[in-house]
Amino acid sequence: SLTIEDQKIIEYKVDNKLLPIKPAYFKITDRNINFGSFDLETYKDNDQLAKVYALGFYTNLDESPNLYYLGDYPHLDSYQLILKCIDEMLVSKYHNYIFYAHNLGHYDIVFLYNTLLNYNLKKGYEYYILKTTMRENTIIKLDIKIKVFSNKTDNKHRYIKISFVDSLNLLNLSLEKLTQVFESVVRKGKFPHSFVSPQTLQYKGTKPDICYYDNITLGEYNSIPVNNWDLKSECLNYLNKDIKSLFVVMNEFSRLIYIHFNVQMTDALTITRLALNIFKSKYYNKHCIPSINKIYLFNFIKEGYYGGITEVYRPYGRDLVYIDINSLYPYTGLNPMPGTECYYIETFKDKGLDLDKLFGFFYAKVKTNNLYLGLLPVHRQGRLICPNGEFEGIWSSEELKFAKSKGYEITVIKGYQFNKVNNIFKDYILELFNFKRTSSGFLKLIYKSLLNNFLGRFGLNLIKPITQTVNKDKRDFILSTRIVNSQTILNEDKFLITYEPTISNQICMEHGLDIIKVLEKESKTNIENSLDLFKDVSIATAAFVTSYARIHINKCKLDILEKGGSIYYSDTDSIVLDKAFLNTNWIGENIGEFKLEFLIDEAYFISNKTYCLILKNGEIIIKTKGVINNSISIEDFKSMYWLKKNISAKKYNSKTNYGKASVLIEKKDVILNYDSYTKRDKIYTNEGLWTDTKPLLYNKL
């Protein structure tokens, strides 16, 4: 519809009604128990590559884990040991079993996948029929099938299939922490991984020095007998515990999910998918979450989809408190959400659209009023900042209204208006929050994970890049027709490649190809089918949740500042402030209230997620983004702040070589820069000491 005044179009609207995400109905008669656990151990070989020397698996059908140790098979090499294990899994007994490996995608899969690919290459045909499920550049599931013939005289055959799945995507904690939370009788052990080499596989003697162990206390080390230490025995005992403990954890997780929600753990590859399955089958009463499956609409809203804000305001302080919001994103998910009624609206009037009547995502021109806090986020050089100045962008209507209420000048030009829907997620969020609050141990962990990993699932990209294994001819065709993000050489004829699914006219022209003929060769239907995985995403929902979250925490920050307090550090859902200015009415156990996390005697905040807290009870908490926490000390933080010195630290560095089936995880020295924080302008004293910050100026108009 058009609005015309004085023969001029001043406003127009375009209806854009959306379909709702559909509910899900799972018919379950019994819990699926056809799964097991898997693990492998590696050493650094003389060629400086990681090689598998021990591996194994375990299911409910086995009395104990099936273990394989390279030293027991002198006629086998590392690759043949892997094949032996896989072949003994590919039997009728384990047909259609899922084997969970903790951190499959970044570790175990590199050894398994390439070994199987190379075996097929040597055979000259696909003996192992492989199918991968990817998330971005990572394999999160691997299906392995083989043909089994009934006899040698005819061609009748059947298939036996097993699958490997990454359990870390369902339970994102270390296996050691999972067994502790679960209070499992089977606990992960301690083992000197770096002591193992081709020369020590049969070692027996004095226990290795403590330097070969990671994350072991002196007391734990001293409890290990000094003499008669046997590497093979210790390794298999360690591997046995790892495999058994992972199985016990996954089995209990599966049982609890089935009992409490009547959903199968094995139907989901990630915790976000599992949470969505639970919501859609049990709690989705109002079928009104809009499916944002139109590319132009998705791309517009994506520009207004920002994450949480992490800021350093004052780098040093004493007598502080650290407060953390109870379930921030679930709490903001209780607010009104966009529905399926949507239309595009644009104005040509100088004063813009009436912001008070809007609900959706809008392009606006902004002029701030130089508050100490910036209230609207902007992407700048790969960072998320909240600047002062004049700029334009896309934000939710609610965040624009909040900024306007604090003195910002807002001119809204165009955007997408939605109808409001109340209480879409109320039943799911409040019930799981109550379950979490009244439970403990492993059950509490499950409820917390299902609560916190739910709403972000709606923000998945509509068209994700495709990642798959292809031969050289297919790789060359993709390179000549599409934008390729990355490629990894697996062997001379296999490539792991990530590319945009839509055909690029420019790429085709650069390679001298007729795009019409390319489209005829690879029909549009195939491209459309690749979008099936994304029918239950709604970026409008996810973007509103994060927008509400920023509004909530900014209201709290402004309240602190208006009462004369200071803020020292803030993360997505937490604030560090002067103890004297803590509003005790904020503290409580309810969703959206704050919990008092730490009482701080002294604190150093060097950069985002890099800080040291010295608590009133004497405990020291060190958080360091990207490096090993225990590799730096209080003195290092003091040197960075008081003496302006860069310090050395250590980080884990993974060297992945798909082509040679190797992953080496080693410690690497890195430098932490004392002056690395650049998201806000720093304010210095006469002595040159950084004591405060102010928002960056950003003039984009």
Side-chain angles (χ1 to χ4, degrees), residues 225-236:
V226 175
N227 299 315
N228 301 317
W229 193 88
D230 185 329
L231 177 60
K232 174 186 171 182
S233 175
E234 293 292 329
C235 169
L236 294 181

Side-chain angles (χ1 to χ4, degrees), residues 125-129 145-150 155-160:
Y125 68 97
E126 273 197 312
Y127 175 78
Y128 298 107
I129 303 165
K145 287 198 305 187
I146 58 169
K147 282 184 181 179
V148 179
F149 292 89
S150 54
N155 199 33
K156 291 182 179 179
H157 66 269
R158 61 189 176 89
Y159 289 100
I160 293 177

Side-chain angles (χ1 to χ4, degrees), residues 405-416:
S405 72
K406 300 302 177 182
Y408 278 39
E409 294 179 22
I410 309 286
T411 306
V412 182
I413 309 299
K414 58 187 176 181
Y416 289 90

Side-chain angles (χ1 to χ4, degrees), residues 95-349:
H95 178 52
N96 278 334
Y97 263 64
I98 296 170
F99 290 89
Y100 290 98
H102 219 50
N103 199 22
L104 172 82
H106 292 102
Y107 195 74
D108 308 68
I109 199 67
V110 178
F111 301 96
L112 297 177
Y113 193 42
N114 204 299
T115 298
L116 298 170
L117 280 175
N118 281 323
Y119 182 84
N120 287 345
L121 191 64
K122 289 177 183 178
K123 278 278 190 180
Y125 68 97
E126 273 197 312
Y127 175 78
Y128 298 107
I129 303 165
L130 307 176
K131 179 185 176 184
T132 58
T133 302
M134 313 293 298
R135 187 175 65 180
E136 297 176 352
N137 296 331
T138 305
I139 298 173
I140 61 173
K141 182 183 181 185
L142 172 65
D143 296 324
I144 307 172
K145 287 198 305 187
I146 58 169
K147 282 184 181 179
V148 179
F149 292 89
S150 54
N151 58 61
K152 295 181 179 179
T153 58
D154 59 35
N155 199 33
K156 291 182 179 179
H157 66 269
R158 61 189 176 89
Y159 289 100
I160 293 177
K161 186 187 86 169
I162 60 172
S163 301
F164 287 90
V165 170
D166 197 334
S167 53
L168 196 62
N169 291 324
L170 286 163
L171 294 169
N172 191 19
L173 285 175
S174 69
L175 184 54
E176 184 173 15
K177 288 182 179 178
L178 285 173
T179 56
Q180 289 172 358
V181 173
F182 177 54
E183 297 179 351
S184 170
V185 293
V186 183
R187 292 293 181 92
K188 185 175 175 71
K190 300 292 183 180
F191 186 73
H193 296 281
S194 58
F195 180 73
V196 186
S197 70
Q199 293 74 38
T200 61
L201 284 180
Q202 304 295 352
Y203 176 85
K204 294 181 181 179
T206 306
K207 69 178 177 181
D209 188 82
I210 193 172
C211 68
Y212 291 105
Y213 292 83
D214 278 331
N215 300 320
I216 191 171
T217 65
L218 185 59
E220 289 171 328
Y221 178 74
N222 290 336
S223 67
I224 301 171
V226 175
N227 299 315
N228 301 317
W229 193 88
D230 185 329
L231 177 60
K232 174 186 171 182
S233 175
E234 293 292 329
C235 169
L236 294 181
N237 181 50
Y238 176 82
L239 185 58
N240 179 80
K241 287 182 177 180
D242 264 15
I243 293 172
K244 257 192 172 180
S245 60
L246 179 58
F247 177 81
V248 169
V249 166
M250 298 309 292
N251 189 49
E252 182 64 4
F253 182 51
S254 167
R255 187 184 71 84
L256 292 171
I257 291 296
Y258 177 74
I259 289 173
H260 292 276
F261 304 108
N262 196 34
V263 169
Q264 298 281 18
M265 172 192 77
T266 51
D267 286 341
L269 297 181
T270 65
I271 189 66
T272 56
R273 165 52 70 180
L274 184 59
L276 187 61
N277 286 351
I278 291 169
F279 170 75
K280 288 172 66 178
S281 65
K282 187 175 179 181
Y283 298 92
Y284 189 23
N285 302 317
K286 296 182 178 181
H287 305 158
C288 54
I289 301 173
S291 176
I292 310 296
N293 56 7
K294 299 179 180 180
I295 295 174
Y296 61 87
L297 176 58
F298 176 89
N299 288 339
F300 186 92
I301 297 175
K302 186 180 178 182
E303 291 299 311
Y305 183 20
Y306 307 94
I309 307 293
T310 304
E311 302 272 33
V312 177
Y313 298 100
R314 293 176 178 265
Y316 175 77
R318 299 187 67 93
D319 201 21
L320 312 177
V321 289
Y322 188 119
I323 55 176
D324 188 81
I325 302 173
N326 296 319
S327 302
L328 174 61
Y329 284 151
Y331 171 68
T332 58
L334 298 172
N335 285 293
M337 290 291 159
T340 56
E341 297 174 18
C342 172
Y343 61 83
Y344 176 80
I345 182 170
E346 183 172 356
T347 184
F348 300 97
K349 295 183 291 186

Side-chain angles (χ1 to χ4, degrees), residues 292-509:
I292 310 296
N293 56 7
K294 299 179 180 180
I295 295 174
Y296 61 87
L297 176 58
F298 176 89
N299 288 339
F300 186 92
I301 297 175
K302 186 180 178 182
E303 291 299 311
Y305 183 20
Y306 307 94
I309 307 293
T310 304
E311 302 272 33
V312 177
Y313 298 100
R314 293 176 178 265
Y316 175 77
R318 299 187 67 93
D319 201 21
L320 312 177
V321 289
Y322 188 119
I323 55 176
D324 188 81
I325 302 173
N326 296 319
S327 302
L328 174 61
Y329 284 151
Y331 171 68
T332 58
L334 298 172
N335 285 293
M337 290 291 159
T340 56
E341 297 174 18
C342 172
Y343 61 83
Y344 176 80
I345 182 170
E346 183 172 356
T347 184
F348 300 97
K349 295 183 291 186
D350 291 340
K351 66 178 182 178
L353 296 168
D354 185 351
L355 179 56
D356 294 335
K357 295 180 180 179
L358 300 178
F359 186 79
F361 296 91
F362 297 91
Y363 169 81
K365 295 183 178 181
V366 174
K367 184 177 181 180
T368 74
N369 59 349
N370 298 319
L371 284 173
Y372 179 75
L373 295 177
L375 300 179
L376 291 175
V378 172
H379 289 294
R380 182 187 182 191
Q381 298 175 351
R383 300 174 304 163
L384 194 62
I385 62 171
C386 295
N388 274 326
E390 298 183 30
F391 46 91
E392 75 274 353
I394 297 171
W395 297 273
S396 78
S397 55
E398 308 314 282
E399 207 158 5
L400 288 171
K401 290 173 188 175
F402 176 64
K404 182 180 177 182
S405 72
K406 300 302 177 182
Y408 278 39
E409 294 179 22
I410 309 286
T411 306
V412 182
I413 309 299
K414 58 187 176 181
Y416 289 90
Q417 172 82 347
F418 288 81
N419 65 309
K420 282 186 185 181
V421 182
N422 295 314
N423 302 324
I424 297 178
F425 305 113
K426 180 180 177 181
D427 292 344
Y428 179 91
I429 290 170
L430 293 185
E431 186 161 276
L432 263 75
F433 182 81
N434 187 55
F435 286 161
K436 184 189 82 165
R437 185 169 56 178
T438 56
S439 60
S440 61
F442 195 59
L443 198 55
K444 187 182 186 75
L445 172 68
I446 291 174
Y447 291 136
K448 180 179 179 180
S449 191
L450 290 173
L451 193 61
N452 293 343
N453 290 287
F454 168 51
L455 293 167
R457 173 62 175 70
F458 291 104
L460 290 182
N461 284 332
L462 176 61
I463 301 181
K464 275 192 168 184
I466 294 173
T467 303
Q468 60 184 194
T469 300
V470 298
N471 60 25
K472 188 175 185 299
D473 289 342
K474 182 68 180 291
R475 188 278 307 263
D476 291 343
F477 177 70
I478 292 169
L479 284 171
S480 63
T481 57
R482 293 170 172 84
I483 297 171
V484 173
N485 299 328
S486 68
Q487 61 170 315
T488 302
I489 300 173
L490 299 173
N491 58 42
E492 61 188 43
D493 191 50
K494 292 292 182 182
F495 301 84
L496 188 66
I497 188 167
T498 301
Y499 61 95
E500 301 298 325
T502 52
I503 294 168
S504 167
N505 188 23
Q506 182 179 345
I507 299 292
C508 288
M509 289 176 60

Side-chain angles (χ1 to χ4, degrees), residues 520-564:
E520 288 174 353
K521 182 176 180 180
E522 191 157 323
S523 70
K524 186 179 178 182
T525 304
N526 291 333
I527 298 171
E528 299 268 340
N529 286 341
S530 70
L531 303 181
D532 285 350
L533 292 173
F534 311 112
K535 285 183 178 178
D536 54 8
V537 300
S538 180
I539 194 170
T541 300
F544 253 87
V545 168
T546 59
S547 179
Y548 281 132
R550 289 188 298 275
I551 293 169
H552 182 67
I553 199 164
N554 278 335
K555 284 180 179 178
C556 297
K557 291 179 184 177
L558 289 173
D559 184 77
I560 293 166
L561 296 174
E562 287 166 5
K563 292 177 179 175

